[in-house]
Amino acid sequence: MYVLVVAGYALIPAAGVALVVVSHVKPAALAGLGELLSRVFATRPARITLLLFVWWLGWHFLVG
């Protein structure tokens, strides 16, 4: 179980590095931050879901 957890934590930075490499090799393959945010905030349910998620994170990790 320990190996699985460590592998999971190692996979996150590896995925980040892979995204950086892909963005340099094929710039048109990934959306920019502005385009990403405009698509995420395009619908009301998505905005409400994101708001509730940020509220939940704040409540669980910042309160206390």
Side-chain angles (χ1 to χ4, degrees):
M1 186 63 148
Y2 172 77
V3 174
L4 187 64
V5 172
V6 171
Y9 277 113
L11 186 64
I12 293 171
V17 170
L19 280 173
V20 169
V21 169
V22 169
S23 71
H24 286 334
V25 172
K26 291 184 177 182
L30 295 174
L33 183 61
E35 184 180 349
L36 177 69
L37 290 176
S38 67
R39 287 188 182 193
V40 167
F41 291 123
T43 63
R44 184 180 175 112
R47 288 191 301 264
I48 292 172
T49 301
L50 196 59
L51 175 73
L52 290 174
F53 177 70
V54 170
W55 172 80
W56 181 85
L57 278 177
W59 181 260
H60 284 86
F61 295 111
L62 300 176
V63 172

